[in-house]
Amino acid sequence: AKTFTLLQSEAVFWNGKDLEDLRVDGRGCEDYRCAEVETDVVSNTSGSARVKLGHTDILVGVKAEMGTPKLEKPDEGYLEFFVDCSANATPEFEGRGGEELGTEIANTLYRVFSSESSVDLKSLCINPREHCWVLYVDVLLLECGGNLFDAISIAVKAALFNTRIPKVRVLEDEEGSKEIELSDDPYDCIRLNVDDVPCIVTLSKIGYRHVVDATLQEEACSLASLLISVTSKGALTSMKKVGKGSLDPESIFEMMEMGKRVGKSLHIALQKILDEEESLGTSRQKVGFLG
Amino acid sequence: MAAVSMRLPVARKAVGPSAPRGGEKHLVAPGDTITTDTGYMRGHGTYVEEEKLIASVAGAVERVNKLVCVRALKTRYNGEVGDIVVGRITEVQQKRWKVETNSRLDSVLLLSSMNLPGGELRRRSAEDELAMRDYLQEGDLISAEVQSVFSDGAVSLHTRSLKYGKLGQGVLVQVSPSLVKRQKTHFHDLPCGASVILGNNGFIWIYPTPEQKDEEAGGFTTNLEPVPLSDREVISRLRNCIVALVTQNLMLFDTSILYCYEASLSHQIKDILKPEVMEEIVLETRQRLLDLEG
């Protein structure tokens, strides 16, 4: 997001022409920065999550609202993505400055979730052709510290995991008119199966190496990066190249293999922390924004 | 092997006063009343309301006779003559460069206030002006000294010593200027095998210690030879140590950095940035610094 100008020799230092597995902050090429994940941070959403990855800070809220299914898919609900780039993140987002980036991220999320297996959209259908659940996924960028896409996808998955949609029943009277009845018990709700929700892994080409989870400075040094979305089983669901540089076809396969490997461990770590948080239940004190 | 570590956030612990250091500082938050005595003059970081002197920033209260100022903890750089700064060239103009030094206004480096390559001392000609971009171009990092401060707070720099000039390979860390301790020298060759420039403006430059101090070129040729892995490891470790010290709000100077480096040696470089490791090594550093003070 931020344009850095790096001194040539400084860039050489960050790049490291050799194939050593050492980055400026001591990480190896396949290491992520330490991430913090917390769900259920916004009370008036159906599900929310906040993810901090280094200095990148993302808040995602999921709101379930009733709507009409799309004509081409009458028995499915759908997801809507919106990305808001807060001017708190960087002054460049002030006014309409963040709009372009926001749309780019939202479009990427639509593509990542376009695969039918990622979320079971049929479970979001209430009444074919008439009513379905629409999940509005709102992403808010609070701070940009590099690797936005990965952090956002982690936050989206965590928020979807946290999402609780109230159970409704469709009652039909003799005249055929339908009525929707909401369950009285607020804890009576459905949850989404997020096992197949993909996460994005961005691999940036720096020098001759490919690194994951690039910091802002590393992003400034990288000419091209490959964005791939991987499910927990290691299946690749979408791919996108960003940056003005070019990538060698051979290295793309190498990057894909690396991305799958890293993606798998990313999903394992995320699922572990989500399960841990859930098992603690209400006994855990929420940290939120003032912690 | 890919390493992904995720954790739940933990609430920040309230830290008590670090140590009895003789005379507690008077700390204020924005909106706090500093004094109700009307005999004082209002300085930076304060304002008067209902005949009370109130702080407008968070920081330490400083009194000079009748003048009361609040020195903010998190601030942009306020230049003072003689400060050592590290800055990045943002623009090449006629007879001068614009330099970003984390102050409110861009600093300037005049063509006439630098040593030309080769250490030549002569009048600057029109050819020199045309060749300015050959010496320093946009994005280059320099170390310099503050020559003067203009009335609007903008800073004019000079590099009229062979100590200063263009920086080569290394790592830049940006911290709050209030965390850099003022010292006699801000250039340090640390015994661990790397050198640091602690810019008063909060820009810290870590670079491999040059083998021979070759001053002939006047510091305008950059060495693009790859830095050996061992040096890079030391630099990475130093960088992470400085980040750790800054997150825990400890003053930066050669001893604190060195102590922190030594405390971190039992950990892997990438582990230093884990919150619990950070806390542990900074605590150890703080203890050693207190022992040193006696």
Side-chain angles (χ1 to χ4, degrees), chain A residues 4-10 12-18 20-28 30-39 55 154 209 215 217 261-262 265-266 269-270 273 276-277 280 284-285 287-288 290-291, chain B residues 1-12 88-89 137-141 166-172 174 205-206 208 222-229 231-237 239-240 243 269-271 273-275:
Chain A
F4 261 90
T5 42
L6 283 166
L7 166 68
Q8 185 200 0
S9 53
E10 202 185 347
V12 169
F13 186 88
W14 289 91
N15 274 341
K17 289 276 180 208
D18 30 32
E20 291 147 0
D21 197 23
L22 175 79
R23 287 156 74 177
V24 168
D25 47 9
R27 283 183 291 157
E30 300 188 6
D31 294 340
Y32 267 77
R33 286 170 287 180
C34 197
E36 282 184 0
V37 180
E38 190 178 24
T39 60
H55 280 294
I154 295 170
R209 302 170 302 171
T215 59
Q217 288 88 340
R261 206 163 53 228
V262 177
S265 23
L266 188 65
L270 178 61
I273 202 74
E276 187 193 326
E277 191 184 18
L280 290 172
R284 198 183 84 83
Q285 189 147 25
V287 178
L290 298 172
Chain B
M1 188 54 215
V4 185
S5 83
M6 288 202 195
R7 59 184 70 214
L8 295 169
V10 275
R12 223 176 349 204
R88 196 185 289 278
I89 307 287
Q137 57 176 332
E138 291 91 344
D140 281 358
L141 280 167
K166 188 167 161 181
L167 301 171
Q169 291 197 59
V171 174
L172 181 76
Q174 284 190 37
W205 181 249
I206 317 168
T222 31
N223 180 11
L224 293 179
E225 283 289 300
V227 179
L229 181 65
D231 282 356
R232 296 159 65 107
E233 275 174 350
V234 171
I235 289 172
S236 290
R237 189 178 284 276
R239 177 203 173 267
N240 285 2
V243 171
I269 302 173
K270 61 181 176 189
D271 291 339
L273 293 181
K274 289 186 175 160

Side-chain angles (χ1 to χ4, degrees), chain A residues 226-271:
Chain A
L226 191 69
L227 217 127
I228 61 176
S229 58
V230 190
T231 65
S232 54
K233 295 181 189 78
L236 205 143
T237 61
S238 73
M239 191 158 87
K240 185 185 173 183
K241 193 218 134 214
V242 282
K244 56 178 188 276
S246 54
L247 293 170
D248 181 26
E250 253 171 65
S251 71
I252 290 182
F253 287 109
E254 214 176 280
M255 287 163 112
M256 275 160 58
E257 282 312 308
M258 183 173 154
K260 281 185 202 168
R261 206 163 53 228
V262 177
K264 268 191 195 168
S265 23
L266 188 65
H267 278 287
I268 294 170
L270 178 61
Q271 200 55 49

Side-chain angles (χ1 to χ4, degrees), chain B residues 26 34-35 40 53 60-69:
Chain B
H26 182 184
I34 302 168
T35 174
Y40 287 102
L53 198 61
V61 176
E62 284 181 1
R63 285 204 173 105
V64 182
N65 298 325
K66 287 269 147 196
L67 183 70
V68 179
C69 311

